């Protein structure tokens, strides 16, 4: 495709990508604020401001390893064109809107990856997938909630042991303060991992059209635009999903909220530095289940948790199917 002729299309697609980023922030606001809202440490309107700020400044802390993985490690960059990117974004956005309307905390990240794979396969067949990068991402689907679960479980045990001589009032007061720190760290990890996925989409599109020269890179204006779009989306909140994450899975205390957020944040920091595009939704859900199970297994509403897992399993294929259908529909309409 000729780069000059594609410029209006590029502008449109960048706008669609930023819309996805905005919806990602809206959809995943619950990941950052559900625990701090459900423990009543912060009111919802202040919690979203807090989370949005740390979402935005995440680019100052992390490199761009995840963006590079999305840009070059999911489907072959050589097959990317405007139609592939448009179809991938439609697949991700449609699935995000469906799960947001139903209050299901599915993964925006995996919806985007499913969209990319679906559109790429629709264009070039199974060879379009970069299996080394894709297998790493698929492995993270299992590992990120498991790591979050285990870290949160261990943290609850450590904190409970350290607090054994303290009164319940003193513990509650201390962890109400500490939850500000843990929520900040989780929001930072969320902004660092999730915003980079849209950066990778925009950058690979620019690269495919010859706007980045011979070497793949992420322009600074792309970084700022994606962080700002995600921050604005977070400001809008996602109250249906907040209720599911913060209230329906298990009842949380400030100490448990701190452990869930800290375990989730540690998982996201590790994944982002390694360049693995994990699901922040999966991670925090695993952490919340972990702190609930540390109290007692029956404290977790397993029917709610299992319905969330079902949504995880179908996210990539569902968004991939929508993306493939969109790709073929665009070709038919040309």
């Amino acid at each position: 495709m000729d780069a000059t002729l594609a410029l209006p299309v590029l502008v449109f697609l960048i706008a669609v990508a930023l819309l996805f980023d905005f919806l990602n922030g809206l959809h995943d606001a619950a990941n950052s604020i559900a625990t701090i809202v459900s423990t009543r440490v912060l009111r919802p309107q202040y919690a979203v401001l807090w989370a949005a700020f740390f979402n935005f400044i995440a680019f100052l802390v992390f490199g761009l390893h995840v963006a590079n993985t999305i840009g070059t490690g999911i489907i072959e960059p050589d097959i990317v064109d405007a139609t592939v990117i448009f179809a991938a974004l439609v697949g991700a956005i449609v699935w995000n809107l469906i799960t947001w309307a139903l209050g299901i905390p599915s993964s925006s990240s995996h919806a985007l990856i499913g969209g990319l794979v679906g559109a790429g396969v629709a264009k070039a067949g199974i060879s379009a997938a970069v299996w080394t990068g894709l297998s790493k991402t698929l492995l993270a689907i299992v590992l990120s909630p498991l790591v979050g679960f285990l870290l949160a479980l261990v943290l609850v045990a450590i904190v409970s042991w350290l607090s054994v001589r303290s009164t319940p009032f003193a513990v509650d007061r201390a962890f109400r303060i500490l939850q500000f720190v843990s929520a900040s760290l989780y929001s930072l990890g969320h902004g660092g991992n999730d915003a980079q996925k849209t950066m990778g989409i925009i950058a690979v599109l620019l690269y495919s059209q010859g706007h980045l020269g011979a070497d793949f890179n992420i322009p600074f204006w792309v970084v700022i635009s994606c962080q700002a779009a995600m921050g604005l989306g977070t400001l809008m909140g996602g109250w249906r999903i907040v209720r599911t994450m913060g209230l329906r899975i298990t009842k949380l205390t400030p100490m448990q909220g701190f452990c869930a957020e800290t375990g989730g944040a540690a998982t996201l920091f590790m994944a982002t530095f390694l360049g693995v595009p994990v699901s922040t939704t999966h991670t925090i859900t695993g952490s919340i289940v972990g702190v609930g199970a540390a109290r007692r297994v029956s404290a977790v509403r397993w029917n709610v948790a299992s319905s969330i897992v079902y949504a995880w399993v179908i996210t990539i294929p569902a968004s991939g199917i929508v993306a493939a259908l969109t790709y073929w529909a665009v070709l038919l309409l040309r």
Side-chain angles (χ1 to χ4, degrees):
M1 182 183 297
D2 184 80
T4 302
L5 292 176
L7 189 57
V9 178
L10 284 176
V11 172
F12 169 74
L13 286 175
I14 289 169
V16 175
L18 292 175
L19 172 63
F20 167 79
D21 207 25
F22 174 85
L23 291 173
N24 191 343
L26 173 70
H27 190 276
D28 289 1
N31 300 346
S32 297
I33 70 172
T35 51
I36 203 168
V37 169
S38 66
T39 56
R40 298 182 181 178
V41 171
L42 268 182
R43 291 181 180 179
Q45 59 268 36
Y46 299 130
V48 291
L49 282 169
W50 188 266
F53 172 74
F54 285 98
N55 271 189
F56 176 70
I57 67 168
F59 74 95
L60 298 173
V61 177
F62 301 102
L64 299 174
H65 308 301
V66 173
N68 284 308
T69 298
I70 292 291
T72 60
I74 302 299
I75 60 173
E76 294 290 347
D78 293 341
I79 72 153
V80 172
D81 59 20
T83 307
V84 168
I85 294 297
F86 177 72
L89 289 169
V90 169
I93 288 171
V94 167
W95 184 247
N96 269 356
L97 290 173
I98 291 170
T99 52
W100 173 76
L102 296 174
I104 300 170
S106 68
S107 169
S108 299
S109 308
H110 294 142
L112 181 60
I113 290 165
L116 275 173
V117 173
V121 169
K123 179 181 179 180
I126 203 73
S127 62
V130 179
W131 291 107
T132 51
L134 193 56
S135 60
K136 182 170 64 173
T137 301
L138 294 174
L139 183 62
I141 292 177
V142 177
L143 290 182
S144 61
L146 181 60
V147 171
F149 174 90
L150 293 174
L151 286 177
L153 199 66
V154 170
L155 281 168
V156 169
I158 293 171
V159 167
S160 298
W161 180 74
L162 291 174
S163 306
V164 71
R165 296 182 183 274
S166 302
T167 65
F169 176 78
V171 171
D172 188 75
R173 183 176 60 183
F175 281 99
R176 281 180 175 275
I177 297 170
L178 287 171
Q179 242 198 303
F180 283 98
V181 178
S182 59
S184 303
L185 291 173
Y186 194 85
S187 295
L188 199 64
H190 173 249
N193 201 284
D194 268 18
Q196 287 195 45
K197 291 150 190 169
T198 308
M199 294 177 204
I201 287 288
I202 294 174
V204 74
L205 181 61
L206 293 171
Y207 177 74
S208 72
Q209 300 300 301
H211 291 286
L212 299 182
D215 298 321
F216 181 84
N217 61 88
I218 317 291
F220 184 67
W221 69 266
V222 173
V223 174
I224 291 294
S225 300
C226 291
Q227 296 287 174
M230 173 155 287
L232 288 171
T234 301
L235 277 176
M236 300 297 292
W239 307 120
R240 288 186 178 89
I241 299 173
V242 168
R243 285 195 293 272
T244 299
M245 299 287 284
L247 301 173
R248 291 182 60 202
I249 295 176
T250 189
K251 186 179 179 181
L252 296 173
T253 65
M255 183 270 278
Q256 292 169 326
F258 169 82
C259 292
E261 289 162 346
T262 303
T267 306
L268 292 182
F269 274 54
M270 286 188 289
T272 304
F273 283 122
L274 292 172
V276 181
V278 298
S279 166
T280 56
T281 308
H282 294 193
T283 303
I284 195 64
T285 303
S287 298
I288 291 172
V289 171
V291 297
R295 185 163 70 242
R296 63 181 188 278
V297 173
S298 62
V300 178
R301 296 185 179 93
W302 293 104
N303 60 326
V304 176
S306 61
S307 68
I308 293 170
V309 171
Y310 297 147
W312 292 354
V313 171
I314 65 173
T315 290
I316 287 181
S319 56
I321 289 168
V322 174
L325 292 174
T326 303
Y327 181 84
W328 291 322
V330 171
L331 290 186
L332 288 173
L333 291 171
R334 279 182 176 176

